Amino acid sequence: MKEIPLPIVPERIVEQVRDRYGSIASGEATGCGCGCGGGEQVIAREIGYTAADLAALPAEANLGLGCGAPIGHLALVPGETVLDLGAGAGLDAFLAARAVGPAGRVIGVDMTPEMVARARAAAARHGYANVEFREGRLEALPVASGTIDAVTSNCVINLVPDKSAVFREIARVLRPGGRVVVSDIVLDRPLPAALTGDALLWTGCVAGAELRADYFARLTAAGFGAVEILRDVDYAGALSKATPAEAEALLGRTGVSREELAGAIRSLTWRATKAAG
């Protein structure tokens, strides 16, 4: 992968992310995406999925990506319409489909053609008739306004340079009173410059993360009320434990110490509601 030159150009970031996740979807690449890929069952259990969740899903939907398990916190009921942002190979979309049942509907949106193709093939192969996958950007969702009951996303918003646009789009597609549960990466202090300019760390959900206060200020500006933090863990520490070789490679490549990263990168799962009126 070519490094992104500084100053970082948003559309080049998008290209880097699309290329990287396309390679992961097609099996041409392994290693750090969000969640670091590889050891899929280990990563999925580490970030919160249960053995029962994983056993019920198409194996090809689990690529070992993500930084949380948001679906369980959405409290979905049969008949609802759910939107999964950055749906990838479909793991959370398929879990949501089981929760809303045949009377419900799930829409997964992803900008990577290879991911959309993989998810569609899994849906057809395993008979998920109430799920559809659409190719599109999170900043301009291919979804009609006011048609969604619940929105979820797993470690994807941090990959988007214009996070304010994503939050505005979530507000647009949700019905009044609709809810959103997201797992994502935020920062509790700024990262060293060696990390923010690292191309692999953009695709690995770290370099594009924002400070916690800035991130949630954007959400509030988009029209959401109080945010409930459901899970808050040290992301760098968790990945060092799950994939120590990749963690050591990162530190060696960037020259950043463990002490500089300790506690700075947080994996959150949060919930918010769109105003009813």
Side-chain angles (χ1 to χ4, degrees), residues 16-32:
Q16 292 274 356
V17 171
R18 183 187 289 116
D19 290 349
R20 181 62 174 168
Y21 283 87
S23 296
I24 292 172
S26 62
E28 297 174 5
T30 58
C32 277

Side-chain angles (χ1 to χ4, degrees), residues 35 37-57 62-70 91-92 95 154 231 233 238-239 241-242 267:
E40 289 86 357
Q41 294 290 325
V42 173
I43 295 293
R45 293 293 298 274
E46 182 76 22
I47 63 178
Y49 293 99
T50 67
D53 287 336
L54 300 175
L57 293 171
N62 180 14
L63 294 177
L65 305 174
C67 57
L91 190 154
D92 288 316
L95 285 176
N154 196 345
R231 181 176 182 266
V233 301
L239 288 188
K241 177 182 176 182
S267 172

Side-chain angles (χ1 to χ4, degrees), residues 181-218:
V181 175
V182 166
S183 293
D184 209 3
I185 303 299
V186 301
L187 305 176
D188 276 351
R189 64 177 185 272
L191 293 176
L195 298 185
T196 58
D198 187 274
L200 284 176
L201 283 187
W202 268 98
T203 63
C205 298
V206 173
E210 286 191 320
L211 290 172
R212 184 189 300 245
D214 295 339
Y215 181 97
F216 287 116
R218 297 182 191 280

